Every structure is written in structure tokens, then in C-alpha cells.
Amino acid sequence: MLYRQAGIRHRRYAAERQLWPLTFDRVLVGGVVLFLLAAPFTLDRLYLGSYLLPWLLWSSAALGLNLLMGGAGQIHLGYGAVMAIGAYTSVHLVRSGIPFELALVLAGMTSAALGIVFGAAALRVKGLYLAMSTLAMQYIIDFTISHVPGISGGTQASLQVPRVTLLGMPVTGEVTPYYVALGLCAVITLFMLNVGRTSFGRALAAIREKDYAAEIIGVGTFKYKLLAFWVSSFIGGVVGAVLAVCYLRIVTPDQFHLDLSIQLVAMVIVGGLGSVLGSFFGAALILFAPIFFNNAIGTLATQFGLGISTDLRSHIPLMLYGALIILFLLVEPLGLAKIYDNVRKYFLVWPFRHVRK
Amino acid sequence: MSLPIRHLRKASKWPCFEDGQPSTLMAALARNAVQSGRRVAVRERDFGIWPEFTWQRFYEDVLAAAAALEQLGLLPGQAMTVIGDNRYRLYVASVAATALRAFPAPVFPDVPPEELAHYTKYGTPTVAVAEDQEQVDKLLELRERLGRPQRIVYDDPRGLAAYKVEGLISFDTLLADGRKRLIAEPQLAGDLVQRSGPGDIAVLLHSSGTTGAPKGVPLTHENVLQGVRNAAEAGYFEPHENCYAYLPMAWVGDFIFTLTGALALRFIINIPERQETVLHDLREVTPTMYLAAPRAWDNMLTRVQVAIADSTPLKRRLFNYFMPRAIEIERRRIAGEPARAGDRLLRLVGEIAVFGPLKDYLGLSRAARAYTGGEAIGEDTFLFFRALGVNLRQFYGQTETSALTAAQLGDDVRLHTVGKPLPNVEVRIDDSGEILVRSRSVIKGYYNDPEASRKALADGWLHTGDAGYLEPDGHLVVLGRVSEVVRTEAGERYIPNYIENRLKFSPYVRNVAILGAGRETLAAIVCIDYEAVGHWAEAHGISYTSYAELSQRREVYDLVAGVLRHVNGFLQPPLRVRRFVNLHKDFDPDDGEITRTRKIRRNVVEERYAALIEALYGGSSSVDFEATITYESGQTGRIRRTLSLQDVD
């Protein structure tokens, strides 16, 4: 009903491979981009700083992890640690007077370099064992950061992020950090949208499906598994750096603990493995569902005078949140992106049926 | 290959009619190259994408092909066989032949080798242009028997590399040779544009052949260009249409609606990848003008109905809510009734919910002009597409009249007429009820057949062989072939076939025989459609065990009477069907009542059912009828049946 497909023809094959051949999709994407660009001027600062900004950052991180999990099929339970490396590297570099632009790249490089070391485990182990090795990475990095005073500044210390400028603009207040995060998110999104159409993306897909089969058809698993960890960790490092500068402002070791890693894995799985759109959906659900339920229960309790004990008031949202994730995965195991895809296809073939179940 | 010819000057003058319009196909092409050289002329789907050819490119390719074809020995006045599905290069070759004052003689691509001799007998074609290996093989076989065509030019080289046969040339080579010659002889291009005149033959087609062997129909440049101009004057064609070239090139419809229309009015010709992908490619083309045979529209409707039956409940309900109501609105509109309140709202909401997406699915969302012709279109199909918002209209014409004689113009659409004669076309009905046509778009005579020409074109009017009449407001009604006309006792002319076809548009009627030759009134023997009526009976709680029992149910009689009453509404009062019987069995080729192609054999029906026919014209309300039936084993048996007879008002 909403989509129009007639009259779409191409003169060249390159044109045929465009991302959004359908007008309606283009309008939708354009609308979202416009909304995000205009948000600082139209939206309340509170929403900008505490909803949109974290959503963009967590989505970016989920995208980076999705390249590894959805793209190459390698699980990673230590992505929070990867981000921590990026965050601490950039903060220390900036503190020592290195420009933020350079610090960003170096943060990515450091994360990538360390990430690839632990990723090397993936050359020998798979599945649960890889999960264990990456989990080990999380703990080792956590331990190192908090116990080396040169990095964390001491066990109980927190690091203040100095004022930085990006391309001459001071990254302060609410608006500039938001645009920095938006820009980073846009770059990563574009990269992720296009990576599947490159030989690199196809090699990752081959490894995801079966690594020794990929080897047989000439895709070097050694090279591409390491590359996957490298690229994914690089993204994680850069996002960690921007997260520290634009959102956290003060860096402490406990911000990058296992909680964050699990949160990101949840975003990727709930959103949809390998789906760009899914990363955004997943981040939104995992970030905002608890807040939403909290508020809803709070409102119920106060407005309607329901006698809910404080204990229960803090537990019900968590229960609902867990139930919601289970529900979504029961309805569509392939994630929120697949639910969106089903809805889209329902309208795409209107007034006919898409597939007969 | 596709590099422009550097020395090729643009044509500065070309043959024109008195009013300055180009008077030959080549002249029109030269004009387009000069005035719209960079506009797209042709899109041809090739492995999923649509390479485009501009008018300048088209012009250069035609000149090159013409220059090379002349070297191959194509002489003025000679035919050039063109065989294959629609291809850009076959169109190029066709125009190139006319530039040399020769003419293309397109042949249907599915003609078997044995019949090819017949379709290539006129104009001694020594050069043939073929689409692919399949057609080349046929032509080589023909050459073995007849010694011609000496030269065969092929478009698609696939499978032909190993052919070591004399006189086989690829189109690539042809164009390359032509380009060399054009560069060597700078005057040639201008000369080629000037050579042909409006009186030269532009194409040699074949008459439909429903009446005896097909005759050669030579359409001149003047004929075809005038035909297109008549249509354009009536608003039937607009300049710069996006048209879809998928109909056989040997059919006059393609030559006029696609090639001539494109040259004269600068259409964009869109050519599908293959015949098998026509429906799919249609969606990518989304033409603004779309011509299809009634059967193709029927198929499209069936496709939609099947897919809807399989759709989700909500979507199906929406379709079933909006579609019948829109059809009803359209039916009322055509009948001339005023629009009711709410009609526009229903159409608007329906457009969003159902019609728009459906048109998008079919690729008809931009088809401002959709046409059908060749035979009568079923009322349901016609109304369905009109209700959908596709401005489907009928036209009437023959090969001899450049396809266009009369057409439904604007919104002036009726169910039973084919519209009014086009501007500059005179239509007259002679005393025998035959439709006569006179226009500049009508041929001067058949090819090499003075006998047939004299018969068909006596006194300057073309005798179409079709029977029909003009309604008081000028709308033409075509009934059928003159040879099928029958008279009642009172001398009223009618064509049983015409009434039978209208009845068969109803899903409940599978076969029917209209009686009445030499009788006072008309009567019908109706064979119900077992499946459709069976469904209807189930839906209405009517029990039955067999065709014979179902056909004799009172309710079924009423159902069929309703169909007859509806069709009677279109017929003049003396020619209404007054009485009918539901036969206890369907007409069957094994019993000889119909042919294998499902055409009725009137003499057999009249002989077999003589007793029944007598009863129909008698007064009784039922008849005991004894029939001979033939089993599939070949044995015969006799069966006794009591059949009811019913009057229709």
C-alpha cells in the first residue's frame, strides 16, 4: 500500500545495487535523518542529552559488535573492555596534549591491537569456548585498568576528561557532543550498510556460515577472522573514546564492566544478528525499556495509589523488561529487525500475501 | 561500435506532406534525430538492465544498416523478411529497408518452417533479418528448398559462431560495414533520407487469414503515418508516450502502435528481455500507453483474482469491499446514470487501499491510455480494469486500415460499441450490413492480387467483411463476419456468434447455440458451466448430483434467464432471445457439436437437437428428448431426458 515498485529500472548494474531503490524507503530514511539533524533545535535538551545521545552511542557500539557477531559469526563477551581501552587511551592522549582527532584514531588502533590478540583465540576455538576466551579478556582488561594506577589513576579514582576540540569546535555543552556522536554513528552506519557488498563482507559471511567451508572455497579464515576482530575492535575503541568525551565526561573502570558487554550482546541479539537497523532497534529497547517501565510503574503507583511496595517498584520493571525480551524473541527469533521486515513486506506486496505459512 | 560517426552531418531536409510533417518513416526518423537527437528513443532490456538508445543513435544505426543492406543487394520494391521477437535491431533493419525503398515483411516468430514459404512468397525477399539461431535455422531450411533468402542477417550471435554457411552475416558486421560506407561516401546519408516517398510501401503485412489464405497487405508510408495522425488528432496517442513493444512485429498493431507511433510522435519504445519476461518487465517499464489483446487482459484479471484469493483476510476483505463497488460505479457511469453521493469518496479511499497498489503491481500505474482490440473483450474484464482506474478502451480496425478505424474516445465508452470512427476516417454501412471504410490510412490494393483488390476495394471503399451498424450517435457496433449473418423470418439480420460470445462472457454459461434462422424470434440452447454453477449452487444451498440434474434445477433456470435478460439489454428488440433450454450435457467435441478449438458446429447442433428446437418454438413448457451419446470408447448409447423450456422477457 505504501510502497510503489513500478517503473524502477536501471541503466547500469551499479545503479541496481543502490541501498534504497524504493521511494518510500528513501523518504523514511530521509525523514529519520532530518529528525536527527534537527533534534537539538526542536527537542528538549533533557531528551537530547539523556535519550538521543546515549542511543546513538550505544547503537554505534552495537553496530561494531554486530559486524563481529552477525557479520562474521564470532561471539564476543568482552566488547565493553574493548571500548574501555579506547576510552582510556583517548583520555590519556588528550590529557597529554595530543589533539582529539589523532587521539580518536589512536584509541581505535590500540583497541584493535589488543582486540586482535584476544581475537586470535577465535582461530582455534569456537562458540562457547570463544565466549569464554572473550570473557577472560573482559576480566583481564578490567583488572589491568583498575590495578595499574598509571591507567585508572588508582583503584577508587576517576579520570576527568579535559575540554577537547574537534576540527576546531569545542566539544562542550549538549549540542556539539550530540553532533559528534551523530557524525560517528552516521559513518559507522554507512560502513556497515556497505560492508556486506564488499569482498570483505562476503568473506565474513562465508566464515559465519562455516569457517572450514570458507577455507575450502578460498577465503582465508586466518586473515579474515583477525580482520573481523581488528575492524570490530577499532570501531569499539573509537566509540569508547567518543563515549568518554561526549557522554561520560568522567571515566571510571566500572563503567566498562561486564554489564556493558552483556548489554551490547543483548542489543545485537534482540535487534537482529547482522542487521544494521536491528542494532538501532536493539539499543533503543535495551536502553529505554527499563526507564519506560520504571516511569510507568511509578506513575501507576502514585497516580492510582496502588499499594506497591518500594521493593516491588524497583523489581517489577526488571521483570517486565526481561519478559519483553523473551516475548520479542519468541515472536521472532531473528530479532526486532525481522519484525520490522515482516511488517514492511506485509505492506510491500499489498494487497497480496507475502509468503504462505 | 556505438561511437558516433564523426563525418555524419545532420539531415537538413526530408520528404514532407503539405503541412510540413514528415511523409516517410525515414523522414520522421531524420527529423527526430535533428530535433530530439539526445532524447531516448528505445530502451531494450538486456540481462536485467535497460540500455538506452537515443534518436541520434537510432538514426545512425538505421543509416548504417541501410548503407550495408544496399550492398547486400536489397533492391527498391523488394521485400525483406524480418523474423523474430521484438528487438531494437529488427526495428532498425525495418526502417533501413524502407529508406532503400524496399520494405520489411515481418513474419510471426512462431511460424513453423513449412509455412515460412507462404509468408515469404511476396516481393521475392533475397535478404532476411533474423533474431537468433532458431530463426536462422528456419531460414536456412527455407533456402534449401527455394534458393532464397540468399543473405541472412542475424542479431543474436549465440550458437551461430560455428555456422559455416554462405551469406550469413551478423548485425554487428552489417553495421560496421555500413559505417565504413557512410564515411567513405559523405553524400550517402542525405541521399538515404531523401530516397523513399509517401507512396512507397512501408511494410508488407498479412491479413488475418480467418477467411481463406492470408493476403499480402502493403501499407504505404502515407497509410501508416496517416493512421497514426488520425489517432493523434483524436487524442488517442499523445507525443512522447512510453510504449511497450512486446506484441508480435508481424501484427499491424505493433507496427502502428510501436514503430510508426514512435517515429511520428517520438514515443520511447521499451523492449522486454524475452517473451517469457513480458509481464515482469511491464512493471519496470510502466508504460503510459499499453495495448493488449482481450485475452491478455483476461489473464491479468485471473492473475489478480487468484492472488487475492490467496491473500490475508484483511487485504482480501478490503479488495472484496472496494472492487465490486467500484465496478458498480463504473457500470452506472457507462450506462449514463448520474454519480451518487459517496462515489468519489469510495473511489478515493479505494485508490489508496486497493486500486493504487494493484495498478502498481501490474505495472499499469502510469497507463493513461490502455487499449484492446482485435476481438470483443469480456464485460467483466473491461469493467474491472476501468474500475481499477485504468482507462481501458476498445478500438476497431483491420490490417488494411492501418489498425485504426474506430475507437472509443475520451470517456465516451460503451460496453457494446467500439467507439466512433477516428477523424479523417469515413465509415459507412452498406445495404447488406457490411462495414465500409474510406481514409488515407486504407490500402490501395492487396499485394499482387488484383482480383482480391477489386473485390475488397470496389468504388474506393474498403469492404471489411465485418457486419455491423452505426448507432444514432455515431458509435459503431461490430457484430461479426458478414459471412456469418443470419436472417430471421422478418428479415432482421443478426450474427449468432456475436450474441453467443456476449452470453459466454458470463461465467455461468460455458456454451450456447443461438437459434432463429428463418424463425420468428430467437431462442437459445444453453450449456451451463458445471464448475461455476456448481459453486453457485453450493453457495445457495441447492443440492445436485450431476450436470444433468443441476442444469434442470428451477433456480439454475432463473440464473440463466438473468444472464439472458442482461444480454438482451444490449440487443435490438427484434433480436432478443425469447426462450431457452438448459441442455442436460455440455457440447462436446467427441459428439461433434463443437470443434477441438471450441467453435460451435451449427449444422450438427441443429440436426441433433431438431426435436428440441421444434419444442422451443412450440408452446410446451417441457420436452422429452431422446439423445444419442458417444462414450469415450467410441460406443454409442441412447438416453432419455425431460428438459424444461423457459421464456425470457
Side-chain angles (χ1 to χ4, degrees):
Chain A
M1 183 158 77
L2 307 166
Y3 297 89
R4 290 288 183 271
Q5 291 177 84
I8 296 176
R9 58 171 172 260
H10 307 283
R11 285 163 59 193
R12 286 183 306 278
Y13 291 118
E16 200 176 25
R17 295 210 317 245
Q18 59 184 279
L19 285 176
W20 299 291
L22 301 189
T23 319
F24 185 78
D25 286 332
R26 279 206 290 270
V27 169
L28 213 57
V29 170
V32 170
V33 168
L34 269 184
F35 169 77
L36 289 175
L37 281 176
F41 309 105
T42 54
L43 228 57
D44 192 82
R45 284 292 146 92
L46 174 74
Y47 287 103
L48 191 71
S50 46
Y51 288 88
L52 271 190
L53 180 61
W55 178 59
L56 288 174
L57 287 166
W58 261 262
S59 298
S60 306
L63 282 169
L65 181 58
N66 215 338
L67 176 72
L68 201 54
M69 288 182 57
Q74 309 297 315
I75 193 163
H76 200 317
L77 291 183
Y79 208 67
V82 173
M83 289 169 71
I85 298 168
Y88 275 96
T89 310
S90 66
V91 171
H92 280 292
L93 287 174
V94 170
R95 281 166 78 98
S96 62
I98 289 173
F100 183 51
E101 295 85 353
L102 191 61
L104 264 184
V105 177
L106 288 175
M109 293 290 218
T110 318
S111 290
L114 284 170
I116 207 171
V117 171
F118 288 92
L123 294 172
R124 303 197 56 97
V125 295
K126 280 181 232 168
L128 283 175
Y129 303 95
L130 181 61
M132 290 312 293
S133 344
T134 49
L135 194 60
M137 170 187 184
Q138 175 75 46
Y139 280 106
I140 293 169
I141 300 287
D142 279 355
F143 182 86
T144 314
I145 288 177
S146 47
H147 288 80
V148 177
I151 299 176
S152 61
T155 338
Q156 300 298 320
S158 55
L159 271 177
Q160 174 78 38
V161 179
R163 292 173 148 255
V164 297
T165 56
L166 187 72
L167 305 173
M169 290 179 300
V171 185
T172 49
E174 256 121 20
V175 176
T176 324
Y178 170 77
Y179 279 120
V180 171
L182 184 61
L184 173 76
C185 187
V187 170
I188 296 174
T189 307
L190 281 176
F191 171 76
M192 289 295 292
L193 282 172
N194 286 290
V195 75
R197 316 196 282 179
T198 61
S199 66
F200 174 56
R202 283 189 291 272
L204 294 194
I207 290 169
R208 175 187 64 210
E209 297 307 325
K210 209 82 204 160
D211 50 4
Y212 53 81
E215 189 81 59
I216 287 163
I217 59 170
V219 175
T221 47
F222 178 79
K223 175 181 165 193
Y224 283 106
K225 273 188 181 175
L226 288 186
L227 255 181
F229 272 93
W230 200 94
V231 174
S232 173
S233 303
F234 183 88
I235 293 174
V238 174
V239 174
V242 173
L243 181 71
V245 170
C246 296
Y247 183 64
L248 300 175
R249 311 276 168 102
I250 294 169
V251 187
T252 62
D254 59 342
Q255 285 159 337
F256 299 97
H257 276 173
L258 186 62
D259 295 11
L260 178 63
S261 298
I262 298 296
Q263 211 181 19
L264 288 169
V265 170
M267 285 173 184
V268 169
I269 292 175
V270 173
L273 279 173
S275 161
V276 173
L277 193 60
S279 303
F280 287 94
F281 286 156
L285 184 80
I286 303 285
L287 282 181
F288 304 136
I291 302 175
F292 171 77
F293 285 127
N294 236 336
N295 291 346
I297 298 295
T299 316
L300 276 180
T302 48
Q303 297 293 93
F304 299 96
L306 293 178
I308 308 177
S309 69
T310 343
D311 254 10
L312 211 53
R313 265 180 73 166
S314 62
H315 285 129
I316 287 182
L318 289 176
M319 288 152 70
L320 287 175
Y321 168 61
L324 190 71
I325 292 178
I326 293 172
L327 182 79
F328 273 126
L329 289 180
L330 276 180
V331 170
E332 186 52 74
L334 295 175
L336 295 172
K338 182 66 184 166
I339 294 179
Y340 172 80
D341 192 51
N342 289 343
V343 172
R344 180 174 177 273
K345 278 185 177 139
Y346 182 83
F347 285 103
L348 192 64
V349 296
W350 190 286
F352 301 125
R353 181 190 286 272
H354 177 238
V355 273
R356 206 155 180 121
K357 289 225 173 82
Chain B
M1 246 310 297
S2 60
L3 290 173
I5 306 172
R6 214 164 302 148
H7 308 287
L8 190 69
R9 261 176 295 156
K10 295 213 166 187
S12 51
K13 60 182 178 59
W14 47 78
C16 288
F17 286 122
E18 314 83 64
D19 59 355
Q21 293 295 317
S23 63
T24 66
L25 297 182
M26 191 62 218
L29 179 58
R31 179 205 57 184
N32 295 350
V34 169
Q35 296 180 357
S36 327
R38 308 179 83 168
R39 278 188 94 109
V40 176
V42 179
R43 291 193 199 107
E44 184 174 42
R45 196 170 192 268
D46 183 31
F47 291 110
I49 52 170
W50 296 85
E52 294 176 343
F53 302 86
T54 60
W55 283 111
Q56 180 64 26
R57 170 82 191 275
F58 197 170
Y59 173 67
E60 284 172 18
D61 283 349
V62 165
L63 285 180
L69 282 170
E70 191 172 35
Q71 282 182 319
L72 288 184
L74 186 60
L75 300 171
Q78 201 178 26
M80 180 187 79
T81 306
V82 175
I83 183 164
D85 286 327
N86 314 60
R87 294 264 70 104
Y88 165 67
R89 285 168 160 190
L90 296 196
Y91 288 121
V92 166
S94 299
V95 182
T98 69
L100 297 168
R101 304 191 66 209
F103 50 85
V107 182
F108 289 96
D110 53 356
V111 164
E114 313 83 67
E115 286 176 34
L116 202 52
H118 185 83
Y119 283 97
T120 56
K121 72 177 175 188
Y122 297 117
T124 55
T126 56
V127 179
V129 181
E131 182 202 356
D132 54 9
Q133 187 188 14
E134 178 192 347
Q135 308 299 352
V136 168
D137 285 347
K138 279 200 257 179
L139 289 167
L140 288 175
E141 201 181 314
L142 183 74
R143 185 160 81 179
E144 244 164 60
R145 274 189 289 150
L146 303 178
R148 63 179 166 76
Q150 281 88 342
R151 312 274 184 172
I152 302 168
V153 183
Y154 58 88
D155 174 18
D156 181 3
R158 188 164 156 183
L160 286 164
Y163 279 51
K164 298 280 174 274
V165 199
E166 207 188 319
L168 196 59
I169 307 135
S170 79
F171 215 99
D172 289 332
T173 318
L174 185 85
L175 288 179
D177 289 351
R179 277 164 185 275
K180 269 184 224 147
R181 196 176 159 215
L182 284 174
I183 292 165
E185 302 171 41
Q187 299 308 315
L188 185 62
D191 175 41
L192 283 171
V193 172
Q194 297 280 358
R195 264 192 222 177
S196 54
D200 290 335
I201 299 173
V203 65
L204 180 75
L205 299 167
H206 289 84
S207 63
S208 49
T210 41
T211 49
K215 295 183 283 258
V217 182
L219 290 167
T220 63
H221 292 273
E222 185 182 354
N223 292 152
V224 293
L225 288 167
Q226 186 65 43
V228 168
R229 193 189 301 189
N230 295 345
E233 262 179 52
Y236 215 57
F237 293 164
E238 299 282 340
H240 307 299
E241 300 268 17
N242 210 9
C243 73
Y244 194 38
Y246 74 103
L247 293 161
M249 288 181 70
W251 185 46
V252 66
D254 185 64
F255 198 84
I256 300 295
F257 280 70
T258 306
L259 187 58
T260 314
L263 289 169
L265 299 167
R266 289 171 243 196
F267 295 175
I268 298 172
I269 302 177
N270 295 280
I271 303 171
E273 179 122 26
R274 268 180 298 159
Q275 280 299 311
E276 292 79 26
T277 63
V278 160
L279 284 177
H280 172 269
D281 296 352
L282 173 64
R283 197 176 188 193
E284 295 186 354
V285 172
T286 338
T288 58
M289 185 186 86
Y290 182 65
L291 167 65
R295 194 169 306 169
W297 290 108
D298 289 341
N299 290 344
M300 227 184 230
L301 172 58
T302 313
R303 230 171 102 214
V304 170
Q305 284 168 336
V306 168
I308 285 292
D310 196 38
S311 190
T312 59
L314 171 71
K315 293 171 179 174
R316 197 166 52 235
R317 272 195 209 118
L318 279 173
F319 179 88
N320 288 337
Y321 179 84
F322 284 105
M323 210 61 232
R325 282 169 178 78
I327 289 174
E328 213 28 62
I329 291 172
E330 186 61 26
R331 192 192 298 279
R332 284 205 305 270
R333 210 185 60 71
I334 286 178
E337 290 173 35
R340 290 187 199 161
D343 279 6
R344 279 186 61 168
L345 182 71
L346 185 116
R347 282 227 32 102
L348 198 75
V349 180
E351 179 71 25
I352 297 166
V354 177
F355 312 144
L358 263 181
K359 280 185 284 187
D360 183 77
Y361 169 75
L362 295 169
L364 296 175
S365 46
R366 291 174 209 158
R369 283 160 291 282
Y371 302 127
T372 186
E375 51 187 322
I377 187 166
E379 190 184 316
D380 287 341
T381 309
F382 189 63
L383 282 174
F384 175 85
F385 284 101
R386 290 197 60 85
L388 206 56
V390 176
N391 190 9
L392 178 60
R393 289 175 288 176
Q394 302 182 60
F395 69 89
Y396 163 75
Q398 292 82 16
T399 312
E400 290 88 335
T401 63
S402 303
L404 289 157
T405 303
Q408 296 175 333
L409 302 173
D411 271 342
D412 194 6
V413 171
R414 316 263 171 90
L415 288 171
H416 65 295
T417 77
V418 295
K420 289 181 180 175
L422 288 167
N424 312 319
V425 178
E426 294 172 76
V427 171
R428 189 161 72 87
I429 309 295
D430 78 353
D431 299 336
S432 65
E434 187 175 358
I435 300 170
L436 308 186
V437 186
R438 190 162 69 177
S439 167
R440 274 171 84 183
S441 61
V442 175
I443 54 162
K444 296 261 184 328
Y446 289 104
Y447 196 86
N448 268 357
D449 197 345
E451 172 67 16
S453 305
R454 207 171 52 241
K455 246 197 266 173
L457 287 150
D459 56 32
W461 290 80
L462 175 77
H463 293 245
T464 59
D466 286 332
Y469 60 92
L470 283 164
E471 296 211 323
D473 56 0
H475 277 260
L476 180 65
V477 179
V478 180
L479 298 170
R481 301 298 294 170
V482 168
S483 51
E484 294 170 352
V485 167
V486 179
R487 281 162 196 269
T488 62
E489 194 186 34
E492 289 286 343
R493 281 189 303 262
Y494 73 98
I495 294 182
N497 223 340
Y498 174 78
I499 304 174
E500 283 160 9
N501 282 338
R502 300 242 150 228
L503 286 169
K504 281 197 277 186
F505 287 150
S506 160
Y508 301 125
V509 177
R510 184 155 166 85
N511 277 303
V512 57
I514 294 291
L515 313 160
R519 305 269 186 178
E520 210 171 306
T521 56
L522 301 195
I525 299 176
V526 178
C527 305
I528 57 167
D529 189 297
Y530 192 36
E531 212 172 304
V533 177
H535 276 301
W536 177 85
E538 277 166 32
H540 289 76
I542 299 161
S543 62
Y544 64 96
T545 54
S546 66
Y547 186 100
E549 190 186 342
L550 181 64
S551 71
Q552 296 309 308
R553 296 290 307 220
R554 191 86 317 233
E555 299 88 343
V556 173
Y557 263 87
D558 291 339
L559 179 73
V560 174
V563 174
L564 282 165
R565 254 197 301 277
H566 176 67
V567 172
N568 274 348
F570 299 121
L571 302 171
Q572 290 161 327
L575 296 178
R576 291 188 177 152
V577 180
R578 295 301 179 193
R579 206 162 148 78
F580 75 98
V581 59
N582 277 348
L583 206 58
H584 57 281
K585 66 179 263 298
D586 194 2
F587 289 154
D588 197 318
D590 286 335
D591 289 340
E593 292 143 344
I594 49 173
T595 66
R596 300 271 160 206
T597 53
R598 309 207 66 82
K599 288 204 180 95
I600 189 161
R601 290 164 80 171
R602 240 164 262 290
N603 48 352
V604 176
V605 171
E606 275 164 27
E607 193 189 303
R608 268 178 87 90
Y609 299 106
L612 192 59
I613 295 168
E614 281 317 309
L616 273 170
Y617 287 102
S620 59
S621 63
S622 73
V623 59
D624 286 334
F625 179 68
E626 194 169 309
T628 315
I629 48 168
T630 312
Y631 297 106
E632 278 184 22
S633 61
Q635 290 173 303
T636 57
R638 296 190 73 74
I639 193 164
R640 240 188 124 72
R641 288 275 174 200
T642 305
L643 303 176
S644 316
L645 309 171
Q646 187 165 325
D647 291 321
V648 193
D649 36 80

